[in-house]
Amino acid sequence: NEGMDATHNPDFTMLESYVTYQDYNDLMKMVEGLMEFLVEKIYPGQNLEMDYKGNKVSFKAPYKRVRFTDLLNEYLGIDYDKMSESELLEFAKSRGLKLDPKMHKGKIADELYKEFIRNNIIQPTFMINLPIELSPLAKKISDDQTKVERFQFLAGGMESMNGYSELNDPIDQFNRFEEQEKIRGNGDEEAQRMDVDFVEALEYGMPPAAGLGIGVERLVMMLTNSQTLRESMLFPTMKPKQ
């Protein structure tokens, strides 16, 4: 729950799917097929193009794939991997962000992304390979143990989907939960809690798998060229008058 604004509401609909023996690359291909299908059904004969808040958006696949760290470099001119946590925090402060000094490096980068980058990404884009501390349930990238096989689907300046290769190593998952508990102890209330039952289930065995989450109202908001999330909800939570 990130409060209420044009793209957030405490009550929202999430559609989730899981598939075995596939990874996040397969999910991205599935999302491309899903979006092409939806846009053609809703706007037939428009060559997979639609207007969203005054921008012409083309949903013809394939979509751009860009690493999270490359976005930070492109828009803010910083090298995430070479900066320390304190250096990144000082940079964020220099850009006017008021952040908790206990915030971990990945969270600081995520706040910078949300404030200065996300709204600029209009055309369909997969932001991929997020920092491991932001993704406690996703599998590590084989050649970069500090990042994970995860993507967020962006279009129209907002995220509507999140997918990743599921972490199915019980030892790694237990260690990730422990690290998340430390992060939570430093004040991050969004950190994942320890789940020993889940770890035990992984010890019995889980095949390679990939999972996708779709924010239905955000997707409907974009596809209907609506201005706020409330327009795509049946019973939206409203801010109190007092």
Side-chain angles (χ1 to χ4, degrees), residues 124-141:
T125 301
F126 292 113
M127 179 176 71
I128 64 172
N129 301 2
L130 279 72
I132 189 170
E133 56 265 36
L134 289 174
S135 315
L137 301 174
K139 184 171 288 186
K140 294 176 184 175
I141 295 172

Side-chain angles (χ1 to χ4, degrees), residues 26-122:
D26 299 296
L27 289 183
M28 285 186 271
K29 292 177 183 177
M30 185 176 79
V31 169
E32 288 174 338
L34 171 65
M35 293 308 301
E36 285 194 333
F37 174 82
L38 289 173
V39 174
E40 179 58 32
K41 283 288 185 181
I42 298 169
Y43 301 99
Q46 295 191 24
N47 199 29
L48 297 173
E49 290 187 350
M50 59 165 284
D51 289 314
Y52 182 66
K53 293 186 176 181
N55 296 297
K56 184 73 71 174
V57 184
S58 172
F59 284 93
K60 187 172 179 61
Y63 304 151
K64 183 178 179 180
R65 301 184 184 190
V66 57
R67 293 181 299 182
F68 178 77
T69 50
D70 288 342
L71 284 176
L72 294 175
N73 185 271
E74 177 184 350
Y75 284 90
L76 299 173
I78 59 176
D79 189 331
Y80 176 85
D81 292 319
K82 292 183 178 180
M83 296 179 77
S84 68
E85 189 173 280
S86 59
E87 288 173 336
L88 192 61
L89 181 60
E90 286 304 312
F91 175 82
K93 288 180 178 179
S94 73
R95 295 300 297 259
L97 290 185
K98 297 180 180 179
L99 303 178
D100 188 332
K102 295 181 180 179
M103 196 173 282
H104 63 80
K105 186 179 178 182
K107 186 72 171 176
I108 299 167
D110 190 47
E111 292 299 320
L112 285 165
Y113 152 74
K114 290 176 180 177
E115 184 69 24
F116 300 110
I117 301 174
R118 180 170 59 188
N119 292 344
N120 298 304
I121 302 176
I122 305 302

